[in-house]
Amino acid sequence: MISGSARTTIASATKATARSFHASTRAEARKFFVGGNWKCNGSVQQVNDLVSMLNQSSLSTETEVVVCPSQVYIQGVADKLRKDIGVGAQDVWVKGNGAFTGETSADMLADMGVGWAVVGHSERRGKGESDAEVAAKAKYALNKGLKVIACCGEPLEARQAGTTNDFVFPQIKAYADVFTKDDWKNVVIAYEPIWAIGTGLTATPEQAQDTHAAIRKYLGEIAGAEVAENTRILYGGSATAATAGGLAAKPDIDGFLVGGASLKPEFADIVNCQGSTKSLKPVKIGINGFGRIGRLVM
């Protein structure tokens, strides 16, 4: 008879084998990745509380973690956050420093020690950013030494019409047109089903896997098999602690770009969704009326 702990070990090994097979013959080809997009949220106190929570959390060493605060808090987060968690910007300008009021250049971010930038998020594309502009932002950031979370995704109308690939593939193609093979080593793709972000609608693990597999196959066609095998593709459709495990079990889902849940203690549970790491040391956390970090009581 197989014990419960043995079943857990076998299941974990099977999951790792499946991911390794989809990636390549190298087991370490695609390290699990969880990004937290804090969006336009926070105050000085709330950001300090979030950093304190993360600094005291027990996070799986098998997961790469990056958080993306608002640009006005990014320097403080970079200075105070534990060094095994990366810091990223939520957007980046397409050029360098100069007379560009309100923009943030990759040069500035690199100077602050920021390692990542999100580009092409649906909430930026919704303001009119074209595929070409998004790709140019990503390329400039890469040239300046940043790594890039390159977003893509489709609205509900495309999903209902069965035209998800027709909507998403041109976004991927725009990136591929300007990235070199070496650039892709510093890129993760974040697939955002726009219709599942903050709407109450949810993509099933099977729906998400189907689209991730299609993106990987298309990436192989336009950027080569090696790029397709090694590039991590994140799910960005409002993942939670409750849904992360089922999604992470799928072989082409290599992690998450998390929105609202990245402002809550459950973010650590999402980071740890593949293993048995306990998310928090014994601390007391104050939660405000939105279920987000309020005040950390030491």
Side-chain angles (χ1 to χ4, degrees):
M1 180 178 293
I2 300 175
S3 68
S5 60
R7 290 191 187 95
T8 300
T9 301
I10 292 169
S12 298
T14 301
K15 183 189 299 183
T17 300
R19 187 177 303 283
S20 174
F21 175 77
H22 263 253
S24 71
T25 56
R26 294 180 295 113
E28 71 277 12
R30 298 202 306 265
K31 185 175 183 178
F32 203 71
F33 184 108
V34 175
N37 179 10
W38 296 0
K39 302 192 178 184
C40 188
N41 287 298
S43 64
V44 171
Q45 183 61 58
Q46 289 170 339
V47 167
N48 285 338
D49 290 346
L50 278 167
V51 170
S52 293
M53 181 196 74
L54 290 168
N55 284 346
Q56 296 175 82
S57 296
S58 296
L59 303 177
S60 171
T61 58
E62 297 178 356
T63 301
E64 183 172 2
V65 183
V66 174
V67 295
C68 302
S70 167
Q71 254 85 319
V72 299
Y73 299 122
I74 200 166
Q75 178 73 80
V77 172
D79 288 343
K80 298 174 184 176
L81 190 64
R82 55 198 273 187
K83 299 310 176 188
D84 59 336
I85 300 177
V87 177
Q90 297 176 17
D91 190 35
V92 65
W93 173 229
V94 71
K95 298 180 181 179
N97 298 341
F100 309 114
T101 302
E103 301 293 353
T104 303
S105 72
D107 310 67
M108 293 175 176
L109 295 172
D111 182 55
M112 287 191 292
V114 174
W116 289 83
V118 177
V119 298
H121 192 279
S122 60
E123 290 159 5
R124 301 297 309 174
R125 291 180 186 269
K127 293 178 177 293
E129 292 186 4
S130 67
D131 293 348
E133 181 181 0
V134 167
K137 285 185 175 186
K139 180 60 175 175
Y140 188 84
L142 289 165
N143 287 348
K144 293 300 175 178
L146 300 185
K147 297 181 180 180
V148 168
I149 301 173
C151 298
C152 61
E154 89 283 15
L156 181 60
E157 296 78 15
R159 169 63 63 169
Q160 291 176 330
T163 58
T164 291
N165 293 349
D166 294 337
F167 199 94
V168 171
F169 285 3
Q171 298 171 357
I172 301 295
K173 181 65 162 56
Y175 292 128
D177 284 346
V178 297
F179 291 174
T180 66
K181 185 177 180 179
D182 283 341
D183 284 339
W184 281 107
K185 297 175 183 177
N186 294 310
V187 174
V188 299
I189 292 174
Y191 163 62
E192 304 179 277
I194 302 168
W195 50 274
I197 300 176
T199 63
L201 299 173
T202 304
T204 66
E206 291 72 27
Q207 286 175 316
Q209 165 60 23
D210 286 348
T211 302
H212 279 233
I215 290 172
R216 195 176 306 284
K217 181 176 183 295
Y218 180 66
L219 193 58
E221 294 171 0
I222 62 174
E226 184 177 348
V227 169
E229 290 171 354
N230 293 331
T231 299
R232 292 173 288 185
I233 304 176
L234 315 180
Y235 176 73
S238 297
T240 65
T243 61
L247 289 160
K250 297 301 182 182
D252 286 297
I253 297 178
D254 302 313
F256 304 104
L257 180 59
V258 183
S262 68
L263 302 171
K264 304 176 185 179
E266 71 175 298
F267 181 67
D269 296 324
I270 297 171
V271 171
N272 296 333
C273 70
Q274 290 196 298
S276 59
T277 303
K278 293 183 178 180
S279 298
L280 287 172
K281 297 176 182 177
V283 295
K284 295 180 180 180
I285 298 174
I287 306 298
N288 66 21
F290 298 98
R292 294 175 169 84
I293 297 299
R295 186 165 56 91
L296 188 64
V297 181
M298 302 303 295

